Amino acid sequence: MDGYGIRIEGLRKRYGEGDTAVDALKDVNMTVAPGEVVGLIGPSGSGKSTLLKCLGAVIEPSAGRMTLGSEVIYDNGWKLPDLRALRRDRIGFVFQAPYLIPFLDVTDNVALLPMLAGRPNGEARRRALELLEALDIGHRARAQPSQLSGGEQQRVAIARALANQPPVILADEPTAPLDSERALAVIRILNQMAQQFATAIVVVTHDEKIIPTFRRLYHIRDGRTDEEPGRGAPAQSANSINL
């Protein structure tokens, strides 16, 4: 992927009109390189969730510019005709809860998105199994979600986010329900996957356990972003802790 993984310039989002208008985002600027994991922090109500929804093409900004790779996707209006395809094929999502489909086994949970994108079932399942093996959870490929631990479920959610090889992954509080050891393991996994697949990853978090692991941080306050230096990503391998 050429250029930045993510580039956001002067992004704004206003809710409402007139005297009742609220500016959730006032001037957001951010870059994330392919292969990089960046933290996004800030107090509740600062605009973190709004920014993630704009970047994920869930809501439309009011102004500004967003680029994925070398392609402008928004410039004071959407530049792509099919936002569903954009979300499906080019943006992976990891949430606080794994949101796995309870009546599908682990493999089918991961293979579903490639199947919806038109890949043959056999190819999609092979891709799913490769990702599960890479995340050290291949031995649970036939398990149901209810049979997994919380950390195992989050690994499956990460595999699902990678299934279509998107250039961008947006992770919203992915470690909130986990203890310190498992939270750090998830961040190590995200760093490993970012480097392996040249994926740009943004992690929204309040989790004090993982904030020191980021090489770069963006702090959003009152709808504006400031870049802050981080302390550096964890050095251990992603599989060093068994979730």
Side-chain angles (χ1 to χ4, degrees):
M1 182 172 58
D2 296 329
Y4 289 98
I6 299 168
R7 186 177 182 91
I8 300 172
E9 302 168 88
L11 200 70
R12 299 173 181 271
K13 176 60 180 177
R14 169 171 285 190
Y15 292 104
E17 299 292 339
D19 294 341
T20 62
V22 175
D23 291 313
L25 301 178
K26 299 175 183 176
D27 184 21
V28 169
N29 299 278
M30 176 186 291
T31 61
V32 186
E36 185 179 26
V37 180
V38 167
L40 178 62
I41 61 175
S44 296
S46 59
K48 299 189 302 300
S49 294
T50 297
L51 174 55
L52 221 61
K53 289 175 182 176
C54 289
L55 185 55
V58 176
I59 61 174
E60 183 170 359
S62 301
R65 181 181 173 97
M66 298 190 297
T67 304
L68 298 186
S70 58
E71 184 175 15
V72 176
I73 65 166
Y74 180 88
D75 190 358
N76 294 312
W78 294 112
K79 298 303 177 183
L80 301 178
D82 190 345
L83 296 182
R84 285 184 60 192
L86 171 68
R87 290 191 294 267
R88 183 191 64 214
D89 299 336
R90 299 183 60 189
I91 303 171
F93 297 90
V94 181
F95 303 101
Q96 179 176 336
Y99 294 119
L100 302 180
I101 299 174
F103 53 83
L104 296 180
D105 67 18
V106 164
T107 302
D108 285 340
N109 263 280
V110 178
L112 182 60
L113 273 181
M115 290 178 187
L116 292 174
R119 292 194 188 183
N121 289 6
E123 179 185 334
R125 290 177 62 80
R126 283 193 297 275
R127 168 70 175 164
L129 289 170
E130 288 172 0
L131 286 168
L132 293 170
E133 289 292 341
L135 290 165
D136 199 30
I137 198 171
H139 61 292
R140 304 292 267 159
R142 301 302 303 173
Q144 299 298 122
S146 60
Q147 297 172 308
L148 305 181
S149 70
E152 287 174 333
Q153 290 184 26
Q154 204 64 312
R155 285 196 184 206
V156 175
I158 292 169
R160 180 183 58 196
L162 289 162
N164 277 335
Q165 296 179 291
V168 168
I169 287 180
L170 306 178
D172 191 3
E173 300 282 1
T175 64
L178 304 176
D179 62 30
S180 295
E181 192 174 46
R182 288 166 176 78
L184 292 172
V186 165
I187 294 302
R188 283 194 285 273
I189 288 169
L190 290 175
N191 275 278
Q192 180 185 1
M193 296 296 101
Q195 293 171 24
Q196 183 174 346
F197 298 107
T199 306
I201 301 180
V202 178
V203 179
V204 171
T205 188
H206 286 101
D207 192 343
E208 296 290 340
K209 302 186 293 293
I210 67 170
I211 289 174
T213 70
F214 296 104
R215 289 192 178 97
R216 288 202 303 133
L217 290 165
Y218 282 92
H219 199 138
I220 187 165
R221 303 177 180 89
D222 299 323
R224 294 183 171 88
T225 46
D226 294 307
E227 185 177 350
E228 299 180 0
R231 301 181 192 174
Q236 291 177 298
S237 68
N239 295 333
S240 61
I241 294 178
N242 182 10
L243 291 184

